[in-house]
């Protein structure tokens, strides 16, 4: 009788230990079935292990025609994502861009940009992306951030798409700013052949 009780208690303990992993596995299966609808990921936004992916998938997209409410919503969603994944240099840069779009104080965007550098100083893709952000927001940046931006652009080979983006962005700057950027790029060893491609 005693051995049967021990066997039963052991079985109950094993079943109890397995309940949580089985339930988590069930949640993963349900999550994988949400398809291509971002709003379908929202029920998992606070589920441990899935929260980052769910919030990432459901992140509100914006474009040049987005209204203030949509821009602020995306900014708040990015803050929530970074609360889960604070070492993501990509999302720190996304938050910096969102703060610019939301017309927040330039110092706030610059502070977030520095966190992107801190968390991913040598990530190849992010280096060039931060450099382009620096050119875009040149007038609002501190001298240190300007120097870092042009150093980042000079450090990596830029794609034709990035060069075209830079040309368009620089064409909207004043001649004084364009010349300042040109001198800064020259000082950092920016490839000479790229100057014509970006309109400098």
């Amino acid at each position: 009788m005693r051995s049967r009780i021990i066997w039963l208690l052991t079985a109950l303990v094993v079943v109890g230990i397995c309940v949580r992993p089985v339930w988590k596995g069930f949640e993963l299966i349900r999550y994988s079935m949400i398809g291509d609808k971002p709003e379908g990921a929202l029920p998992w936004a606070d589920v441990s292990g899935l929260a980052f992916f769910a919030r990432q998938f459901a992140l509100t997209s914006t474009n040049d025609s987005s209204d203030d409410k949509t821009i602020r919503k995306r900014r708040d969603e990015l803050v929530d994502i970074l609360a889960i994944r604070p070492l993501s240099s990509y999302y720190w840069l996304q938050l910096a861009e969102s703060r610019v779009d939301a017309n927040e104080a330039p110092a706030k965007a610059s502070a977030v940009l520095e966190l992107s550098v801190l968390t991913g100083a040598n990530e190849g893709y992010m280096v060039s992306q931060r450099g382009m952000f620096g050119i875009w927001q040149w007038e609002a940046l501190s001298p240190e951030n300007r120097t870092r931006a042009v150093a980042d652009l000079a450090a990596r080979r830029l794609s034709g798409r990035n060069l075209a983006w830079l040309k368009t962005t620089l064409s909207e700057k004043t001649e004084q700013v364009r010349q300042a950027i040109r001198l800064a790029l020259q000082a950092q060893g920016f490839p000479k052949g790229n100057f014509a491609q970006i309109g400098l």
Side-chain angles (χ1 to χ4, degrees):
M1 185 65 148
R2 185 177 178 184
S3 62
R4 181 174 291 182
I5 292 173
I6 293 173
W7 180 88
L8 181 61
L9 290 174
T10 302
L12 288 173
V13 169
V14 171
V15 169
I17 292 172
C18 293
V19 166
R20 182 175 170 80
V22 168
W23 178 251
K24 286 294 182 184
F26 180 64
E27 286 184 335
L28 285 169
I29 292 170
R30 288 178 58 212
Y31 177 75
S32 69
M33 297 171 65
I34 62 177
D36 58 357
K37 295 181 179 180
E39 62 273 11
L42 292 177
W44 286 271
D46 295 314
V47 175
S48 176
L50 292 176
F52 172 76
F53 302 102
R55 290 176 185 273
Q56 182 183 44
F57 187 59
L59 183 63
T60 300
S61 61
T62 57
N63 53 42
D64 293 340
S65 62
S66 297
D67 59 19
D68 291 341
K69 183 178 178 180
T70 303
I71 291 169
R72 287 194 300 271
K73 181 182 179 186
R74 179 180 172 85
R75 178 200 59 197
D76 295 342
E77 290 171 351
L78 287 167
V79 170
D80 291 339
I81 286 175
L82 286 162
I84 300 168
R85 192 70 62 88
L87 296 180
S88 173
S89 60
Y90 173 77
Y91 281 111
W92 282 118
L93 183 59
Q94 290 290 303
L95 181 58
E97 292 176 2
S98 187
R99 286 188 165 177
V100 171
D101 292 340
N103 296 313
E104 294 188 19
K108 287 189 173 183
S110 291
V112 174
L113 176 64
E114 290 175 8
L115 286 170
S116 178
V117 174
L118 181 65
T119 55
N122 298 313
E123 293 177 4
Y125 172 76
M126 293 307 303
V127 167
S128 56
Q129 292 300 305
R130 283 193 298 265
M132 292 192 297
F133 176 87
I135 297 300
W136 176 44
Q137 290 298 304
W138 184 266
E139 296 88 338
L141 295 182
S142 66
E144 294 80 9
N145 282 333
R146 289 178 180 178
T147 299
R148 183 183 298 125
V150 293
D152 285 345
L153 285 178
R156 300 284 174 176
R157 182 178 179 180
L158 298 174
S159 67
R161 183 178 179 180
N162 287 346
L163 291 169
W165 183 92
L166 283 169
K167 184 175 183 177
T168 300
T169 302
L170 287 165
S171 69
E172 299 169 355
K173 305 286 185 186
T174 65
E175 187 58 32
Q176 183 179 2
V177 170
R178 287 164 54 82
Q179 288 304 314
I181 293 173
R182 179 182 176 84
L183 290 173
L185 286 169
Q186 285 177 329
Q188 292 293 334
F190 190 68
K192 293 181 179 180
N194 284 351
F195 282 102
Q197 295 184 65
I198 62 173
L200 292 180

